[in-house]
Amino acid sequence: MSPQQTAVPDVHVPWWRRGTIYQVYPRSFADANGDGTGDVEGIRSKLPYLSDLGVDGIWISPWYPSPLADGGYDVADYRDINPMFGTLADAERLLDEAHELGIKVIVDLVPNHTSREHRWFEAALAAGPGSAERAMYMFRPGRGDDGELPPNNWRSVFGGPAWTRVDDGEWYLHLFDSSQPDLDWTNERVREEFDAIFRFWLDRGVDGFRIDVAHGMVKDPALPDLDGEQELLGTNFAVNHPHWDRDGVHEINRRWRAVLDEVDRDVMMVAEAWVVPEHLGLYLRPDEYHQSFNFDFLTADWGRDEARDAIVRALDAAQTVGSTPTWTLSNHDVMRHATRYGLPKGTDWRAWPLAGPADALDPVAGLRRAKAMTMLLMALPGSLYVYQGEELGLPDVWDLPTDVLDDPVWEDSGHTQKGRDGCRVPMPWTPDGTSYGFGSNGAWLPQPTVYGELAAAAQSGVDGSTLELYRAGLDLRKRYFEADEQLTWLDLGPDVLAFRRGTGAVCALNYGSDPVALPAGGLLLGSEPGMTAIEPETCVWVDPDLRPSLADRRRQREMRRPGSQR
Ligand code: GLC
């Protein structure tokens, strides 16, 4: 079948369903005013870069006023822009210019908790026990004779107790840092405020929302003690957990969806829901989320069966509800995948930066595997989320000195985990300068020298660079992998994960240690330059209807010649 014969659906396909969305972490993307911190003008200045890269949309991590105790996920006002990042007018200009370039914009909403500096929380503290202001949050009396013990044994995701006591003796719940008090979602006023917040950003033209901790808002009213510790960034917690993934969240999802449906545009919401794969589909019912992140894949080890199993689970979960999966390998909460894949299988990459051994890391293998996995993801049906800097092959800066760490995880875990700063180190745009072109005056976290070598300007136009691989990949993806949602598994031997898409194009990743012959046809792209076979730990895309180029055929002949090295 030639690419032209592909079944192009006659129904309208919304942009997010098969598109590529690029995550911008505003603090670390680009600093236009030279204060060492990224800003909205910085993002605006890089829109042409994002357009050249070939993304369909950007997701901007929280840019609201915030004390940045948790990098902005501690929101002090949902209807404004952090003065460190700019103004609402800057944001509106960014939205307009992005739209002119055909780039959609998704903002990040944090409904589970606010900052302690939000005026609702300040009012709750001032008004005292039993007040309507306090009822916006989860305040409770303590246990013990004088209420000196927390209301239950819940732990914060970042470490330490999930309750903090205030001066008048009551305790408030915070599933995250003590600076992030949880809202009480049984309170209609909380619900109404969020309806209005959605409408505020929809009125400004945003195209979607990424919903933070979408599985956390509803708590068991009895607030029972928990057996054992609970992790956020994992999906292996028990069913009927007292604060994760409770049935009540679906009613809230439906309410938000109704607000989005008031708008006559293709707007969407995507859930950050760390739930068991079998439950993901519930969030994707037609009157709930449009999409949900798929962390099953992100947490899977490097390996053929691991990847295949995660893909099958995600396709099945999405298909049962008529949605498409989302694919992602990195974000602002996890070790960058160029480093993660350089660690031996089974390594706990959250603990490894402190636990070591440091020489377990093979950065060359890490980047090679990262590029191969990225090509695999780009070829799958559904949408792709790319985290800023992965297109440069940036490694995680896991060895930041502890005195610069900013993530609350470092303190809250009692210095047992370094936290997530390693993936938040500011972007390098040029090979030199005080912060490799991030801004004119240093960067809020130190960048390693390798960031200069990997800067966007150093890779742009350079054959074989990671940046050019992403550009070519996203371009070909539009032609070969976004036309439909079909996938057929192929058998190319025990080490290769391979499938054919509806256009006929084949994607094959070799997890083994021996080269495997290319499938018949013309090579569209290889994860390493000059490939004539599916080399170990590489990925290829092949169009069976294309004749191999002269150069390819010459290289293949050379390979077959007696005495050839391969
Ligand atoms: C989400 C965010 C993370 C944040 C947490 C609390 O998991 O991605 O960065 O710390 O929620 O808001």
Side-chain angles (χ1 to χ4, degrees):
M1 189 166 74
S2 79
Q4 287 76 12
Q5 289 168 316
T6 306
V8 177
D10 42 15
V11 290
H12 166 69
V13 179
W15 65 275
W16 45 264
R17 194 174 165 102
R18 299 177 188 168
T20 300
I21 296 162
Y22 183 98
Q23 182 189 357
V24 171
Y25 191 71
R27 209 177 171 189
S28 302
F29 189 60
D31 167 23
N33 67 1
D35 65 355
T37 294
D39 43 45
V40 180
E41 283 297 282
I43 305 173
R44 194 167 68 87
S45 72
K46 300 298 181 194
L47 287 174
Y49 168 86
L50 294 169
S51 169
D52 284 351
L53 186 59
V55 305
D56 300 285
I58 55 175
W59 144 34
I60 305 179
S61 280
W63 53 359
Y64 315 105
S66 162
L68 300 181
D70 183 21
Y73 285 89
D74 46 326
V75 179
D77 181 355
Y78 293 88
R79 296 179 179 84
D80 205 350
I81 297 291
N82 190 333
M84 276 177 94
F85 298 161
T87 63
L88 210 43
D90 295 339
E92 286 172 349
R93 202 170 318 125
L94 170 70
L95 276 158
D96 287 347
E97 288 187 20
H99 288 156
E100 277 163 27
L101 288 169
I103 297 175
K104 308 281 187 184
V105 180
I106 295 176
V107 293
D108 207 321
L109 272 194
V110 187
N112 182 68
H113 45 264
T114 70
S115 161
R116 199 160 44 188
E117 293 183 19
H118 196 291
R119 64 185 159 77
W120 302 336
F121 193 73
E122 287 172 352
L125 284 183
S131 61
E133 287 82 355
R134 226 162 240 214
M136 294 280 282
Y137 292 89
M138 304 281 296
F139 278 92
R140 293 289 182 281
R143 292 191 290 195
D145 290 345
D146 298 312
E148 74 282 9
L149 299 172
N152 65 24
N153 70 352
W154 293 2
R155 311 275 303 165
S156 143
V157 170
F158 294 158
W163 296 91
T164 289
R165 199 174 194 193
V166 300
D167 290 347
D168 53 43
E170 280 205 325
W171 296 76
Y172 68 87
L173 175 69
H174 50 88
L175 291 183
F176 294 87
D177 187 56
S178 60
S179 66
Q180 294 166 293
D182 278 42
L183 287 163
D184 184 345
W185 274 88
T186 63
N187 186 333
E188 179 60 18
R189 204 185 129 204
V190 170
R191 295 177 181 228
E192 282 168 7
E193 287 283 1
F194 272 84
D195 293 348
I197 291 162
F198 274 102
R199 291 194 181 101
F200 176 90
W201 288 104
L202 287 169
D203 287 348
R204 271 154 194 81
V206 305
D207 303 286
F209 299 88
R210 178 262 188 193
I211 306 295
D212 189 67
V213 200
H215 58 308
M217 280 104 51
V218 176
K219 281 86 186 175
D220 183 335
L223 301 177
D225 272 348
L226 257 168
D227 299 335
E229 297 223 353
Q230 294 299 325
E231 240 200 310
L232 164 78
L233 306 180
T235 52
N236 54 351
F237 48 79
V239 173
N240 197 26
H241 187 279
H243 61 70
W244 293 144
D245 191 28
R246 295 189 64 79
D247 287 348
V249 297
H250 297 289
E251 183 199 329
I252 301 172
N253 300 347
R254 285 193 279 272
R255 178 171 177 141
W256 293 343
R257 177 62 179 257
V259 174
L260 263 67
D261 286 347
E262 290 166 3
V263 175
D264 198 14
R265 295 184 282 126
D266 259 344
V267 293
M268 58 87 86
M269 53 180 194
V270 52
E272 184 216 18
W274 294 84
V275 300
V276 288
E278 309 85 73
H279 274 198
L280 212 52
L282 300 175
Y283 288 74
L284 299 173
R285 287 176 287 194
D287 56 351
E288 299 194 32
Y289 282 92
H290 300 81
Q291 285 193 318
S292 174
F293 290 119
N294 164 21
F295 296 119
D296 193 26
F297 201 90
L298 189 150
T299 47
D301 262 336
W302 165 259
R304 179 184 182 274
D305 295 345
E306 288 84 345
R308 189 187 153 117
D309 291 352
I311 292 170
V312 169
R313 277 195 295 265
L315 289 173
D316 286 353
Q319 263 156 19
T320 51
V321 281
S323 179
T324 48
T326 61
W327 309 105
T328 185
L329 290 171
S330 282
N331 64 35
H332 66 293
D333 287 331
V334 298
M335 173 179 271
R336 284 184 177 277
H337 63 282
T339 301
R340 225 169 53 225
Y341 288 136
L343 290 170
K345 249 173 129 152
T347 304
D348 174 352
W349 42 264
R350 288 203 181 84
W352 173 80
L354 284 180
D359 62 5
L361 177 67
D362 179 346
V364 175
L367 181 57
R368 185 173 61 238
R369 294 171 184 164
K371 290 193 287 184
M373 284 296 277
T374 300
M375 274 185 63
L376 180 82
L377 255 62
M378 283 182 180
L380 289 167
S383 53
L384 178 73
Y385 283 78
V386 169
Y387 177 52
Q388 68 180 39
E390 65 166 84
E391 76 279 18
L392 305 177
L394 294 185
D396 202 89
V397 194
W398 56 272
D399 52 355
L400 282 169
T402 53
D403 60 349
V404 304
L405 295 180
D406 183 75
D407 185 350
V409 168
W410 171 238
E411 289 301 332
D412 291 356
S413 71
H415 297 181
T416 59
Q417 289 207 7
K418 283 182 90 171
R420 302 159 294 176
D421 292 311
C423 64
R424 300 173 177 179
V425 170
M427 282 278 283
W429 295 98
T430 57
D432 35 42
T434 59
S435 56
Y436 303 120
F438 168 66
S440 56
N441 198 14
W444 70 278
L445 279 175
Q447 301 151 298
T449 49
V450 70
Y451 270 39
E453 291 155 32
L454 295 173
Q459 296 195 45
S460 188
V462 175
D463 266 357
S465 70
T466 308
L467 178 58
E468 291 304 334
L469 178 72
Y470 269 73
R471 285 179 176 160
L474 292 179
D475 183 43
L476 288 166
R477 175 181 149 88
K478 286 198 175 36
R479 274 185 276 155
Y480 285 93
F481 305 123
E482 290 184 18
D484 64 70
E485 293 167 7
Q486 297 173 43
L487 178 146
T488 312
W489 292 107
L490 300 178
D491 183 1
L492 296 188
D495 292 331
V496 180
L497 186 61
F499 53 83
R500 184 190 304 284
R501 293 294 313 278
T503 54
V506 170
C507 171
L509 196 161
N510 181 359
Y511 289 90
S513 46
D514 295 317
V516 172
L518 285 174
L523 181 67
L524 294 169
L525 192 64
S527 59
E528 297 297 330
M531 288 171 57
T532 51
I534 322 174
E535 306 287 350
E537 306 192 332
T538 67
C539 185
V540 295
W541 294 345
V542 170
D543 179 345
D545 296 322
L546 272 186
R547 281 169 54 78
S549 73
L550 263 180
D552 283 352
R553 275 181 284 162
R554 194 171 314 123
R555 273 198 295 267
Q556 277 164 6
R557 261 201 315 276
E558 273 162 21
M559 238 182 85
R560 286 194 296 266
R561 220 174 268 151
S564 145
Q565 289 303 299
R566 295 158 187 274

